[in-house]
Amino acid sequence: MTRFDAADAAERRKLFAEAVLAHRNRGSQFCTIEVDPADAPGVDTDTDADADDSTPVPWIQFAEKTFNLDCTDAELDRLKDLLAEFPACRIDNIERPEEAEGANVRITARSDANRLGQFADRALQVTYGLDDDYRAWVTQV
């Protein structure tokens, strides 16, 4: 991989597919995609103060055949609705730790890298209510 961020749908999906392929080819533990903090909902980047630590930046990880992400109950509902568009993806596990406000969701996804890239892009956008031009970074492969 030679680039690590993208801000339009076609480029993000290509980037995410490349990240999945790099993960598979390297046999790495997982690959991580994060939304640029400037595009994350609820994060005020117009102030000089540090971002509020209680507003996490949306992320999604992929390992082998599983996506992993954290979300609130409302975000989980949006994610569940999205799964109708991706029949190769299904929720495998939802954990609700007592110390967290929300859930950790694991989604089994069996498809080619391009389709997985499409899913990662749509999952981030729909689940977290991101604009069409949100920027994402592949932060770990």
Side-chain angles (χ1 to χ4, degrees), residues 68-86:
N68 181 34
L69 65 154
D70 290 337
C71 55
T72 65
D73 289 339
E75 292 165 343
L76 179 58
D77 288 341
R78 292 192 294 267
L79 178 62
K80 286 178 178 178
D81 290 342
L82 174 68
L83 289 175
E85 296 177 29
F86 293 90

Side-chain angles (χ1 to χ4, degrees), residues 73-124:
D73 289 339
E75 292 165 343
L76 179 58
D77 288 341
R78 292 192 294 267
L79 178 62
K80 286 178 178 178
D81 290 342
L82 174 68
L83 289 175
E85 296 177 29
F86 293 90
C89 300
R90 66 175 175 77
I91 292 177
D92 188 46
N93 189 24
I94 299 174
E95 291 183 16
R96 297 181 184 278
E98 288 182 25
E99 65 278 359
E101 292 183 29
N104 177 263
V105 182
R106 289 188 187 88
I107 299 169
T108 301
R110 294 190 167 121
S111 192
D112 63 87
N114 288 328
R115 190 70 172 149
L116 295 174
Q118 290 172 4
F119 175 75
D121 181 47
R122 293 286 293 140
L124 285 168

